[in-house]
Every structure is written in C-alpha cells, then in structure tokens.
Amino acid sequence: MARKIILLLALIFFATANVEAAPPDNGMPFDPLATTATETDSGALTLVVMKDTNELCFIVADNKARALGMVPYTSRIYDFYLRKDSSGGYSPFIFMMVLPMETRGQIDDDLGEWQENFHLLPVYALFDVKSGGQVVCEKPFYSARGLNPSHYQGTIRNPNHERLIEIFLTHMPRLHRLIRDQHISLP
C-alpha cells in the first residue's frame, strides 16, 4: 500500500495541474474523479479512485510549494464541514494526512510517525463555516507524537503542512459542488 501511495503522489506531483483533462487511460494507477485545480490557484484538492482496488482518496497539492499530501477517503472526512455538534458549532476536525517525499530533520519531524519515507501526520483542525458554505480555518493546526494520540498539543509549524491542511479544508466545499455537478455517486 505504501509503495502505491508514493507512486500515486509522485505521478500527481509531476503531472499537469489540470487532471480533469487526462485521457481515460492516463497511464497512472488512478483515475481522477474531480479536482478543484484552476489556472489561477496554486492549490488543488482532487478526489481519485485507485484502478486496482477501487479505493478513493484525496490528493492535496500546493504547486507553489511543490508539496503534496494524501488523505484516505471516508464519508466522515468528505462531509466534515456539514455536521454541527449539539451546541450548533463545529467539532474539531481530526484526520490523518500522509506526506510523501519528505526528508527528516525538518520542522514537524517529531509529530506523527515516520514509515519509510512517509510522514504520517495526525491533524487536529479548528474551523468555522461562513454563509455560502465557505470553510474558514482557525490556525494554528495541531498534532502529536504517534498515530493515535489522546491529546493534540503539538503545534504544526511547517508552512507547507499548514498550507496543505488549509487547502484540504477550504477546497472541500468546491469539490462537493464539482462532484454534485458531475453526478458522481460516492459511498
């Protein structure tokens, strides 16, 4: 699984930003379903399906920083900004981001866990949703050591990680609209 994710992310990284225009047999181990990529925005959120397993995952890219992240798809993650808690607000959003092609010795190295060249980063993000469905991030974002922390007391300080998290959160409503407009059915 780890090698598939590395290959997938490397191919996305070096592919053009407009994955919607990719031919049906694009030579990649996935098919893009929808993307928020535009000519004017350096960040994009793409939902892809793996060809061999039919698994869905989100690819987050920041072309300016040449940074990538992957978040496995679940309906809970996909709909994070649509669910309010019992007091009418939004609960912290907790998810796992896989960061390939990272080298140790950088900021946030002590957060999450390393598996080969993958940096697995649990994320704890506070956010709000404004009128029109716009997700607004409340920085800083938090993490902790290990993969299943009981407390998220470490601050995510790497600007690339912060930017990927911000893209993931803020682009999700637009990805929802694209998926709805393309009549894509998701589990």
Side-chain angles (χ1 to χ4, degrees), residues 18-145:
N18 187 2
V19 294
E20 287 180 310
D25 186 12
N26 56 20
M28 296 184 201
F30 64 89
D31 286 318
L33 296 178
T35 184
T36 65
T38 66
E39 295 281 332
T40 58
D41 191 353
S42 71
L45 177 60
T46 304
L47 180 65
V48 301
V49 61
M50 299 301 294
K51 289 180 180 178
D52 60 345
T53 63
N54 286 329
E55 292 178 57
L56 296 170
C57 63
F58 299 102
I59 304 298
V60 188
D62 182 8
N63 292 333
K64 185 184 279 185
R66 300 188 58 82
L68 284 173
M70 194 266 313
V71 178
Y73 170 90
T74 66
S75 61
R76 181 194 68 78
I77 289 173
Y78 181 63
D79 291 335
F80 79 89
Y81 72 100
L82 300 175
R83 289 186 306 276
K84 291 187 176 187
D85 60 23
S86 59
S87 65
Y90 296 93
S91 296
F93 180 39
I94 299 172
F95 63 98
M96 182 68 63
M97 183 172 282
V98 179
L99 302 157
M101 302 180 288
E102 295 221 336
T103 56
R104 292 184 189 220
Q106 304 295 314
I107 301 171
D108 296 341
D109 247 11
D110 58 335
L111 300 174
E113 186 174 289
W114 287 84
Q115 292 181 4
E116 298 179 19
N117 291 331
F118 289 95
H119 188 182
L120 306 173
L121 186 68
V123 176
Y124 180 102
L126 300 174
F127 69 96
D128 195 11
V129 179
K130 300 299 181 191
S131 63
Q134 175 189 9
V135 174
V136 178
C137 300
E138 296 179 21
K139 291 183 183 176
F141 302 118
Y142 299 97
S143 188
R145 292 182 191 267

Side-chain angles (χ1 to χ4, degrees), residues 5-23:
I5 294 171
I6 288 176
L7 176 60
L8 166 70
L9 293 172
L11 290 170
I12 290 172
F13 193 127
F14 295 110
T16 62
N18 187 2
V19 294
E20 287 180 310

